[in-house]
Amino acid sequence: MGGSEIQTKLLRAWQSEFERVNERIADCFARSEPRDRGRGYRHVLLEPLERKNGWQLAEAAGDRSPDGEINCGPM
């Protein structure tokens, strides 16, 4: 098994576990919007960002600001 195959296998296992965690806590959210936002936040926390403050996390998740305003492109 080559290195690329191992990486693919590890990535699939990681994605599967990430989805399993999200499914386990989904019932903690009454609405889909906060559930989806939480999923995005958890995903961004796992990314190799140089800094992880509110603004950087929001930008990496595609939000305009840390308060959850969605970035719909230039205004």
Side-chain angles (χ1 to χ4, degrees), residues 24-45:
R24 287 186 65 190
I25 64 173
D27 291 340
C28 296
F29 303 94
R31 296 181 52 196
S32 64
E33 295 89 349
R35 181 175 50 243
D36 294 343
R37 188 144 194 263
R39 182 186 186 284
Y41 182 77
R42 285 185 297 281
H43 189 269
V44 168
L45 281 174

Side-chain angles (χ1 to χ4, degrees), residues 1 9 12 16 23 27 35 40 42 48 54 66 69 72:
M1 187 179 290
K9 212 171 193 182
R12 285 188 183 139
S16 175
E23 289 170 10
D27 291 340
R35 181 175 50 243
R42 285 185 297 281
E69 192 174 327
C72 296

Side-chain angles (χ1 to χ4, degrees), residues 4-69:
S4 178
E5 291 175 55
I6 292 171
Q7 287 179 338
T8 300
K9 212 171 193 182
L10 287 173
L11 179 59
R12 285 188 183 139
W14 182 90
Q15 289 170 331
S16 175
E17 188 63 26
F18 183 76
E19 291 306 322
R20 205 164 66 142
V21 167
N22 286 309
E23 289 170 10
R24 287 186 65 190
I25 64 173
D27 291 340
C28 296
F29 303 94
R31 296 181 52 196
S32 64
E33 295 89 349
R35 181 175 50 243
D36 294 343
R37 188 144 194 263
R39 182 186 186 284
Y41 182 77
R42 285 185 297 281
H43 189 269
V44 168
L45 281 174
L46 297 170
E47 289 186 12
L49 300 174
E50 185 176 326
R51 297 180 67 198
K52 291 186 180 179
N53 64 37
W55 282 101
Q56 276 84 16
L57 293 173
E59 288 176 357
D63 294 338
R64 185 174 293 167
S65 68
D67 66 1
E69 192 174 327

